[in-house]
Amino acid sequence: MRDVLFSGRWGTISPKSVEAQAAIADFMDRKHGLCLNSAYAALEALLRSLDIGYGDEVIVASYSNAVDSMTVSCVGAKPVFCDIDYDRCTISVESVKESITEKTKAVIVDSYAGDCGDLDTLSKLCKENHMYLIENVGDELVKNKQATATVMDIGKKNSLNTGLAGALVTDIDDIYNAFYAYHNCGRSPVATDNLKVQDFVG
């Protein structure tokens, strides 16, 4: 932390942040990683990157982190609440099936004690219905490749708390590029001109 404070470089594109993003992506076996100031910000940027907004529905568990439904509402979409699996306290696959409509664009699963539920079945269900599967793993780092993208809350358990932070990991280039642009004032990660702004507000 001292190195960062005295380096004169800060933010999510500074050298230490870039190192951390690469380490998180590597640990999660994903191609891309990007840190933001909070998991809430990461989830909002992800939903916007997936072009989810007004008129869309996103399925969330009725018993989970309130950030899921609040972020869905923040981008203008409608959170649709599902039951949970009583034995695992994770989102119920059967309830998800019953909640799918023509407006459903994504399912957000939340980690309960390191368990995100039946991701294999949910992943297959989402693919069949052309929906995104998003993991919000909170403080847990869950290694799997079932979800379109994973958002995590990092920094809570540090003895020296410098504030909460969030991260996103994904293997999908288009999602990462849009997510990056939203986080960096509309600038693309592949733009040679640092001032080149894409079709994102940022």
Side-chain angles (χ1 to χ4, degrees):
M1 191 164 124
R2 182 180 175 85
D3 290 346
V4 173
L5 289 173
F6 288 96
S7 70
R9 303 281 304 278
W10 58 276
T12 56
I13 52 177
S14 68
K16 291 292 185 187
S17 294
V18 171
E19 286 177 27
Q21 292 162 178
I24 290 169
D26 182 61
F27 178 79
M28 298 286 284
D29 294 327
R30 298 297 179 93
K31 185 175 180 181
H32 303 290
L34 191 61
C35 293
L36 275 84
N37 67 301
S38 67
Y40 180 94
L43 187 56
E44 180 183 343
L46 174 59
L47 292 174
R48 294 187 188 281
S49 301
L50 299 174
D51 200 26
I52 293 173
Y54 292 99
D56 298 328
E57 295 179 355
V58 177
I59 296 174
V60 298
S62 56
Y63 178 76
S64 70
N65 193 331
V67 166
D68 298 343
S69 56
M70 290 188 316
T71 309
V72 170
S73 297
C74 178
V75 301
K78 176 183 175 183
V80 176
F81 294 97
C82 280
D83 290 330
I84 61 166
D85 183 319
Y86 181 79
D87 294 326
R88 297 173 75 173
C89 292
T90 56
I91 199 165
S92 162
V93 174
E94 291 307 313
S95 187
V96 170
K97 286 179 184 176
E98 294 170 5
S99 302
I100 296 172
T101 71
E102 60 186 20
K103 296 180 179 180
T104 307
K105 293 292 176 71
V107 176
I108 300 176
V109 295
D110 218 307
S111 170
Y112 181 81
D115 183 3
C116 284
D118 187 353
L119 289 176
D120 289 329
T121 304
L122 283 169
S123 180
K124 183 178 177 185
L125 180 65
C126 285
K127 286 176 184 173
E128 289 171 353
N129 290 278
H130 309 288
M131 303 181 306
Y132 299 108
L133 178 59
I134 300 167
E135 284 180 285
N136 183 358
V137 298
D139 293 329
E140 310 291 338
L141 291 183
V142 183
K143 288 180 76 170
N144 65 72
K145 293 188 175 185
Q146 302 302 319
T148 299
T150 302
V151 169
M152 66 196 72
D153 192 357
I154 55 178
K156 274 189 178 180
K157 295 180 179 178
N158 293 341
S159 56
L160 178 60
N161 194 334
T162 57
L164 304 185
L168 168 127
V169 291
T170 184
D171 283 326
I172 303 171
D173 294 340
D174 290 344
I175 292 174
Y176 170 74
N177 290 339
F179 186 91
Y180 185 98
Y182 274 113
H183 116 283
N184 193 24
C185 305
R187 295 180 182 94
S188 165
V190 295
T192 54
D193 178 359
N194 193 37
L195 297 178
K196 182 178 180 183
V197 177
Q198 306 300 301
D199 296 328
F200 300 97
V201 174

